[in-house]
Amino acid sequence: MVAQKIDGTAIAKNIRGRIAEEIAEKQSKSKSYRPRLVIVQVGDRSDSSTYVRMKLKAAEEANISCDLKTFDSGITEQKLLQELDRLNSDASVHGILVQLPVPKHISEHTITSAVADQKDVDGFGTANIGELAKRGGSPLFIPCTPKGVMVLLQESGVEIRGKNAVVLGRSDIVGAPVSYLLRNADATVTVCHSRTQNIPSIVKNADIVIAAIGKPGFVKGDWLKEGAVVVDVGTNYIPDESKKSGQRLVGDVDFESAAEVASQITPVPGGVGPMTVAMLLRNVVDSADRFYSSARQAKKIQPLPLKLETPVPSDIAVSRAQTPKHISQVASEIGILPHELEPYGASKAKVTLDVLKRLESRKDGKYVIVAGITPTPLGEGKSTTTIGLVQALAAHLQRIAFANVRQPSQGPTFGIKGGAAGGGYSQVIPMEEFNLHLTGDIHAITAANNLLAAAIETRMFHEDSQKDGPLYRRLIPPPPKSKPDVKRTFPPWALRRLKRVGIDKTNPDELDEAEIRKFARLDIDPDTITWRRVLDVNDRHLRGITVGQAPTEKGHTRETAFDISVASECMAVLALSNSLQDMRERLERIVIGTSRGGDPVTAGDIGAAGAMAALMRDAVKPNLMQTLEGTPVFVHAGPFANISIGASSVLADKLALKLAGTEEDDEEAQPGYVVTEAGFDFTMGGERSLNIKCRSSGLIPDCIVIVATVRALKSHSPDAPSITPGTPLPAYYTDENVEALKKGCVNLKKHIENARAFGVKVVVAINKFTTDTQSEVEIVRSEAITAGAEDAIPANHWAEGGKGAVDLANGVIAACDKANKDDFKLLYDLETSVQERIDKIAKEMYGAEKVEFSELAQKKVDTYVKQGFGNLPICIAKTQYSLSADPNLKGAPTGFTIPIRDVRLAVGAGYLYALAADIQTIPGLPTAPGYLSVDIDANGEIEGLF
């Protein structure tokens, strides 16, 4: 008989074609679907390079992205392991193949084992081989050549069950894995090797022969049983003068004699070789499918149970009573990969911005902004409501939900306000870590800010003491004479400066005297400097200082001041940046003052922006924590609410929205929710979140939640009695008082109307107190719905945690379901004048009759417009205690005037801020500040925070 040739080339081509069609179909449904293989090759052996070229070509034909990473044969094992670790951490890579052999100084076992199990498409890793060897094991990948052997048998119609199979060779790459696969297919398997006696007689009994022994023509035809099936895996080169290369490829089987006895046989070449490549592609696609399938699987947050106590203990006692999940578990539950998490201990971590790239094709989750009514001394519980709402959504309604909140400053933590972790059974834990250093972001802001402050003083000092030539030579020093081959070049900061001043030369030696002066001399007018030093402490005695009083400063004194760190423009830059590079560019644009010639001077002109970005490099990554019920919280940025947006960062919102989102082709999946808090009331924090933050981020909210309490609304009644700290509340607030409440609801109605003006659905959260009556709650609900709210829902999350906010959460879900983002509109156009934009905010949001600019304010606006900064969003800095600029005007006053006494510039952050009141940017401490109660116990536990 003459054996039928098993055409591996044709079978492999057909498989590759099916893979290409499969990928095309999946990509038609999801643009993000892109299987990717990386081949790692060490050295340049010609035989390895041939195999690599085959794999690259086959991958291209199958529409699989395939990259080749080559390394010199002298690379150390440690360096190669580091490169593999990077590929393991790259979510866009689905398969990693280390092309064997590797140089002798590198352990093949160590390197192949270093490939992550889920990317080990060659199937050589310990886990995959171990699972394959187990009976009933479940390897993620089967090694490509053994898998190709089995598919060849299957495609050729060979029955394996019950047959005698002989495998010649016991290598970990072919022989051993093939034997496991044949055994698992119910064949009776014999493995022969170099020490096996009587191989021909053993082969003679085989129905199936797999030859992988590495000896050309080893198996003879007369060894074979009549009608046996022969699969030749051998790849041996023998001399052949008829070939251009002087050699030809043959297998382990003497093909001519074997073909006379066997029923089917694979040729060499053209048998198993093409199948090995096809199986590699199949493994890559399977890996990609597994990855994308995992991304589509519904994520599940495992809530922590609460043990509620009555009365509710202190916030720190409640926090201490709960054992938080390890932060890696929190991250895993919401779909953050291990390499995207940078833990800071067990309960907090930073999340890298790689998540945004990995999930860029996802549709965002639902976006909810929480604001409040005009603040009162009684407190509205906005942070507590934010946390309670998310606990209800995630822990009780099984939705993916994030609370996004600001990082609190240590100023108020140790001052009079206390922490900002929420309260009762709706707070971020551990609350002491939340309220203190966290991961050091505020310290990084402080360092970057003060570096720029020092750079300003230093630049003015040296400019005053040097002529243009020496100043230029020190800024752009020529190379030392000992290095004549080194060229003088402009560093990156200098190239940016040259571009800004309109000099297009790139050789430092070609600038003329006028250009040298233009480049090197900033000529800062000290009277125009707006940049101050900062620290994160309430220190009233730094509101005005004089610098430069040491004799070494040669009389270069200047009056300036400190701000609190969260009032730094660096903090606003952090909050509004859309990426690390965007943050770097914003820092470059920060304007610190004006030159004597009237030009703006930036941090980039001074050359400090790059170093500032380096100090803030890690701060740009949002911080992950959890609530009392184990639901995720992003804590990031803490911009001062009076003179900035007073909201957490754009990046935290974007990260959370992607993690809470759904795949583009998954119409059945339920979106999650991101609940982000805005500073103060809607008309300050909410308005800025929409006009400044959303304008910067491009995000549009689905719903706005306005938090109110019955007693806080009563304080907006015109006849409300004053509240004295430390004394019992008047009965006016604690007893049922329907008339006072109706009068005070005008404030709530104004905030609802303002929010509705942006085209966004509004839900009112009635934060309940035990003194509230049902009649009072119904009045608030009626007034809110009349003003345009979708609903007004009481919630008792302070005392009950998420359970007490389930009705509120359902109301928010319903509002989000009805949202139409096409209805969203911003309050003003940036093409209008600064005066018009401020008028729009003051009249439409606050209810003012007119706006008056001081001479100083108008002069500054004219300067900004002249300098090209006239088309920025507006932030009006005023009291938070009234819709007006007068803290004594409660409710919803009308007919008043908003006085604009000054307008300042925050170009890096991207807005102008107009001062309508005396805003202290570094608070003072009271007689009995909060730090008096803070201490540590014998075990090092922090006590006394509130």
Side-chain angles (χ1 to χ4, degrees):
M1 64 181 297
V2 178
Q4 180 184 343
K5 188 186 293 185
I6 300 175
D7 191 345
T9 300
I11 294 172
K13 182 179 180 181
N14 183 269
I15 290 171
R16 293 199 307 272
R18 295 202 301 263
I19 290 172
E21 290 173 4
E22 180 184 331
I23 291 173
E25 181 183 357
K26 289 171 182 173
Q27 287 179 336
S28 69
K29 297 176 182 177
S30 173
K31 288 179 284 188
S32 66
Y33 183 82
R34 186 67 174 166
R36 183 182 172 207
L37 168 68
V38 174
I39 299 173
V40 175
Q41 183 179 15
V42 182
D44 56 357
R45 284 181 46 150
S46 59
D47 52 349
S48 293
S49 297
T50 300
Y51 291 130
V52 167
R53 284 194 297 272
M54 289 170 51
K55 292 166 185 174
L56 289 170
K57 184 181 179 193
E60 182 181 4
E61 290 175 355
N63 201 18
I64 291 173
S65 175
C66 187
D67 301 326
L68 172 63
K69 289 191 177 294
T70 58
F71 300 99
D72 186 86
S73 58
I75 189 173
T76 65
E77 183 174 279
Q78 184 59 36
K79 177 63 176 174
L80 187 55
L81 289 171
Q82 290 172 352
E83 295 294 339
L84 289 173
D85 188 55
R86 288 192 189 95
L87 294 173
N88 286 335
S89 298
D90 187 342
S92 71
V93 175
H94 306 110
I96 302 170
L97 183 151
V98 179
Q99 184 65 44
L100 300 178
V102 293
K104 292 183 179 178
H105 68 279
I106 294 174
S107 164
E108 183 177 294
H109 173 77
T110 299
I111 293 303
T112 55
S113 298
V115 176
D117 295 339
Q118 66 270 24
K119 299 187 180 187
D120 177 28
V121 289
D122 233 355
F124 291 159
T126 306
N128 282 314
I129 288 292
E131 283 295 315
L132 183 61
K134 285 165 51 178
R135 179 169 182 173
S138 301
L140 292 171
F141 303 103
I142 296 170
C144 301
T145 299
K147 186 174 182 177
V149 169
M150 298 302 290
V151 172
L152 275 179
L153 293 172
Q154 179 185 344
E155 293 278 336
S156 302
V158 176
E159 177 64 41
I160 299 174
R161 178 179 293 179
K163 299 295 178 65
N164 288 324
V166 171
V167 178
L168 299 174
R170 56 178 174 178
S171 73
D172 291 336
I173 294 175
V174 180
V178 163
S179 71
Y180 305 149
L181 290 170
L182 289 166
R183 181 199 64 192
N184 292 338
D186 295 327
T188 300
V189 183
T190 303
V191 178
C192 299
H193 48 79
S194 59
R195 301 304 175 100
T196 302
Q197 302 294 316
N198 243 345
I199 290 179
S201 63
I202 296 172
V203 171
K204 197 72 174 177
N205 291 319
D207 301 305
I208 300 169
V209 177
I210 312 296
I213 206 160
K215 294 183 179 181
F218 180 73
V219 178
K220 312 301 182 187
D222 59 7
W223 292 14
L224 299 174
K225 177 181 179 180
E226 187 77 23
V229 176
V230 179
V231 178
D232 191 349
V233 190
T235 52
N236 310 287
Y237 286 94
I238 62 174
D240 188 339
E241 293 181 1
S242 68
K243 300 293 182 182
K244 185 177 180 180
S245 64
Q247 58 184 8
R248 65 185 170 92
L249 179 66
V250 299
D252 290 349
V253 178
D254 179 39
F255 185 83
E256 285 74 15
S257 62
E260 296 295 325
V261 182
S263 60
Q264 296 186 72
I265 188 169
T266 61
V268 177
V272 176
M275 292 298 295
T276 298
V277 177
M279 294 304 99
L280 171 65
L281 303 184
R282 179 72 262 167
N283 279 353
V284 173
V285 173
D286 290 346
S287 178
D289 289 349
R290 194 178 295 118
F291 175 82
Y292 287 105
S293 174
S294 174
R296 282 166 172 74
Q297 286 175 3
K299 296 178 288 293
K300 185 171 177 58
I301 295 170
Q302 298 292 337
L304 295 174
L306 289 179
K307 187 177 180 181
L308 303 176
E309 293 184 36
T310 305
V312 176
S314 68
D315 289 348
I316 196 164
V318 171
S319 175
R320 288 258 174 84
Q322 183 67 286
T323 301
K325 294 184 282 193
H326 196 283
I327 197 64
S328 60
Q329 181 184 344
V330 178
S332 175
E333 289 173 0
I334 55 178
I336 294 172
L337 303 179
H339 69 273
E340 295 165 343
L341 194 74
E342 298 176 359
Y344 281 62
S347 56
K348 56 186 183 289
K350 282 196 166 291
V351 178
T352 71
L353 303 185
D354 296 342
V355 176
L356 288 173
K357 176 65 177 173
R358 175 169 64 87
L359 302 180
E360 62 184 342
S361 64
R362 268 195 189 174
K363 294 181 288 188
D364 287 349
K366 301 293 186 180
Y367 192 33
V368 179
I369 294 176
V370 176
I373 61 169
T374 301
T376 71
L378 294 167
E380 291 66 54
K382 187 156 49 68
S383 298
T384 306
T385 300
T386 299
I387 303 303
L389 171 57
V390 168
Q391 289 180 169
L393 286 164
H396 296 269
L397 297 180
Q398 290 76 53
R399 304 296 184 101
I400 295 296
F402 294 81
N404 283 10
V405 296
R406 287 185 295 166
Q407 180 180 347
S409 163
Q410 288 176 189
T413 296
F414 290 130
I416 194 169
K417 182 177 181 288
Y425 286 102
S426 294
Q427 56 173 303
V428 184
I429 58 169
M431 68 93 79
E432 58 267 46
E433 294 187 24
F434 174 89
N435 284 314
L436 295 179
H437 304 279
L438 200 58
T439 57
D441 292 350
I442 294 180
H443 302 316
I445 295 292
T446 303
N449 182 101
N450 292 344
L451 174 66
L452 179 55
I456 295 166
E457 308 290 358
T458 297
R459 189 57 175 268
M460 290 194 298
F461 176 84
H462 289 297
E463 283 192 24
D464 286 350
S465 60
Q466 300 176 63
K467 292 184 178 180
D468 295 344
L471 177 65
Y472 180 61
R473 282 193 296 276
R474 285 181 171 87
L475 289 170
I476 312 294
K481 292 181 180 179
S482 61
K483 297 182 178 179
D485 296 334
V486 176
K487 277 191 165 187
R488 188 185 188 189
T489 58
F490 285 116
W493 74 265
L495 292 171
R496 290 170 179 258
R497 166 74 178 157
L498 287 166
K499 185 176 181 181
R500 273 192 296 275
V501 298
I503 299 173
D504 59 3
K505 295 178 180 177
T506 57
N507 185 342
D509 297 323
E510 292 180 355
L511 270 64
D512 59 32
E513 288 185 6
E515 290 169 333
I516 285 173
R517 181 176 181 81
K518 191 175 185 181
F519 166 81
R521 196 161 292 280
L522 301 180
D523 200 23
I524 301 168
D525 181 351
D527 293 336
T528 67
I529 295 173
T530 55
W531 198 257
R532 298 175 169 187
R533 290 160 176 79
V534 299
L535 80 170
D536 198 30
V537 175
N538 288 0
D539 191 344
R540 68 173 72 244
H541 290 87
L542 295 177
R543 290 172 180 167
I545 63 168
T546 302
V547 296
Q549 293 193 7
T552 52
E553 307 318 303
K554 302 176 182 178
H556 289 277
T557 60
R558 185 173 72 84
E559 290 187 358
T560 180
F562 270 77
D563 291 333
I564 197 163
S565 295
V566 292
S568 169
E569 187 177 346
C570 292
M571 180 60 86
V573 165
L574 178 69
L576 290 166
S577 294
N578 288 279
S579 66
L580 176 62
Q581 192 56 39
D582 183 33
M583 184 185 77
R584 170 65 180 82
E585 295 302 321
R586 286 172 179 268
L587 292 171
E588 182 90 7
R589 296 196 297 267
I590 287 173
V591 173
I592 60 92
T594 304
S595 72
R596 289 185 174 90
D599 296 319
V601 180
T602 67
D605 291 322
I606 293 171
M612 294 167 71
L615 286 167
M616 294 171 59
R617 181 193 65 169
D618 289 329
V620 80
K621 304 168 189 172
N623 305 298
L624 180 67
M625 293 189 76
Q626 64 191 287
T627 69
L628 277 165
E629 297 191 58
T631 66
V633 180
F634 276 120
V635 186
H636 198 219
F640 202 68
N642 292 94
I643 64 167
S644 186
I645 61 167
S648 66
S649 75
V650 164
L651 280 169
D653 287 357
K654 286 189 168 184
L655 269 176
L657 284 165
K658 289 301 180 188
L659 290 165
T662 55
E663 298 302 319
E664 56 185 340
D665 60 336
D666 191 347
E667 300 296 331
E668 303 295 320
Q670 283 189 331
Y673 295 80
V674 177
V675 182
T676 189
E677 184 182 352
F680 296 142
D681 59 13
F682 174 80
T683 302
M684 284 184 70
E687 179 268 317
R688 295 172 193 173
S689 286
L690 298 173
N691 281 319
I692 299 176
K693 184 180 176 184
C694 288
R695 198 188 294 266
S696 174
S697 67
L699 301 174
I700 298 173
D702 295 277
C703 174
I704 290 168
V705 175
I706 296 178
V707 182
T709 68
V710 166
R711 61 185 194 175
L713 285 169
K714 289 176 183 177
S715 74
H716 279 288
S717 173
D719 53 355
S722 60
I723 301 165
T724 305
T727 62
L729 276 180
Y732 180 93
Y733 297 104
T734 57
D735 293 348
E736 183 174 291
N737 192 334
V738 171
E739 290 307 311
L741 181 59
K742 283 183 177 178
K743 291 175 183 177
C745 277
V746 296
N747 184 267
L748 172 62
K749 293 173 76 172
K750 177 60 177 167
H751 287 296
I752 293 170
E753 290 163 5
N754 286 348
R756 293 288 296 128
F758 289 87
V760 183
K761 303 293 183 187
V762 176
V763 172
V764 172
I766 307 172
N767 188 10
K768 283 193 69 177
F769 283 76
T770 55
T771 55
D772 298 347
T773 68
Q774 188 59 37
S775 297
E776 289 175 324
V777 170
E778 286 301 324
I779 286 169
V780 176
R781 186 169 187 273
S782 174
E783 295 286 329
I785 292 172
T786 300
E790 297 296 307
D791 207 343
I793 304 167
N796 194 25
H797 42 277
W798 180 81
E800 298 182 39
K803 175 185 172 185
V806 168
D807 289 345
L808 174 63
N810 281 320
V812 167
I813 291 171
C816 288
D817 288 344
K818 290 193 284 184
N820 182 355
K821 293 193 176 184
D822 291 338
D823 293 338
F824 180 71
K825 51 185 179 293
L826 294 166
L827 184 64
Y828 51 78
D829 192 323
L830 296 181
E831 298 307 311
T832 58
S833 70
V834 173
Q835 174 83 52
E836 288 173 319
R837 298 202 291 282
I838 292 175
D839 279 353
K840 189 97 170 173
I841 296 170
K843 292 177 179 177
E844 295 192 17
M845 293 284 106
Y846 305 161
E849 183 178 339
K850 62 179 180 177
V851 176
E852 289 182 352
F853 274 64
S854 70
E855 185 178 340
L856 173 66
Q858 189 58 57
K859 183 180 177 181
K860 284 195 170 183
V861 168
D862 294 341
T863 299
Y864 301 149
V865 171
K866 184 179 178 181
Q867 292 175 338
F869 304 130
N871 298 114
L872 294 173
I874 303 293
C875 171
I876 298 181
K878 69 174 190 68
T879 178
Q880 66 268 34
Y881 295 117
S882 173
L883 287 165
S884 73
D886 180 354
N888 296 311
L889 293 180
K890 303 297 185 182
T894 57
F896 56 87
T897 298
I898 292 286
I900 303 298
R901 63 178 182 85
D902 195 0
V903 179
R904 296 179 185 170
L905 195 58
V907 179
Y911 56 80
L912 298 171
Y913 62 100
L915 277 69
D918 249 342
I919 301 298
Q920 296 294 347
T921 51
I922 183 164
L925 291 167
T927 305
Y931 67 73
L932 293 174
S933 302
V934 178
D935 208 333
I936 58 172
D937 65 17
N939 297 315
E941 296 285 348
I942 296 170
E943 297 179 332
L945 287 174
F946 65 101

